[in-house]
Amino acid sequence: MTTDNTVYDSVENAYNKIQEFFDNYQFGAEHSAMILKHEELADLLDLLDILAIEEQSNNLNELHEKFKDIKEASAKVVEELNDVIDYIATAAKVVSGLDKILSKVTEIIV
């Protein structure tokens, strides 16, 4: 199997979309959890070395299923940010999505 860098790109896209949200909208205390999760995601992106993760994996098929889950969770965060109607509800949904991404990425980091 070839290295699947699309998982990194997907997580990075979610990170960038959240940054756009912060840049374009005023936010308050209700967004503090989102801000903290965004910072955690930045730290995890620094550790997300797909090649190293794949080299250390005993089961590439299982690992790629985990990658798929991470990409789906990242896409869901981006989708939520593309359809902002209620900023507070969006922040809650994004935080929930970030929790999923963070836990899934943490599982695979070598």
Side-chain angles (χ1 to χ4, degrees):
M1 278 191 182
T2 61
T3 301
D4 183 3
N5 284 320
T6 61
V7 70
Y8 183 91
D9 295 339
S10 180
V11 173
E12 184 179 48
N13 185 39
Y15 174 86
N16 290 335
K17 192 68 176 177
I18 295 166
Q19 187 61 54
E20 271 181 41
F21 177 82
F22 291 151
D23 291 344
N24 293 323
Y25 300 102
Q26 287 186 333
F27 51 93
E30 66 274 7
H31 296 99
S32 60
M34 190 171 157
I35 294 166
L36 292 173
K37 296 293 180 185
H38 185 247
E39 291 172 0
E40 283 182 54
L41 189 59
D43 292 339
L44 279 180
L45 274 169
D46 288 338
L47 300 173
L48 190 56
D49 182 343
I50 302 303
L51 183 59
I53 292 167
E54 286 185 336
E55 287 176 354
Q56 297 295 320
S57 176
N58 293 330
N59 185 337
L60 283 178
N61 290 328
E62 182 181 314
L63 179 63
H64 281 255
E65 281 300 311
K66 290 179 181 181
F67 285 174
K68 180 181 170 196
D69 291 344
I70 293 167
K71 289 188 283 189
E72 288 173 1
S74 297
K76 183 68 176 162
V77 165
V78 169
E79 181 182 314
E80 293 294 341
L81 290 166
N82 284 334
D83 298 327
V84 175
I85 296 170
D86 177 348
Y87 299 107
I88 295 171
T90 297
K93 290 176 184 176
V94 168
V95 166
S96 175
L98 285 173
D99 281 338
K100 289 177 187 172
I101 294 168
L102 293 167
S103 69
K104 291 177 185 299
V105 170
T106 302
E107 287 177 16
I108 64 168
I109 290 180
V110 179

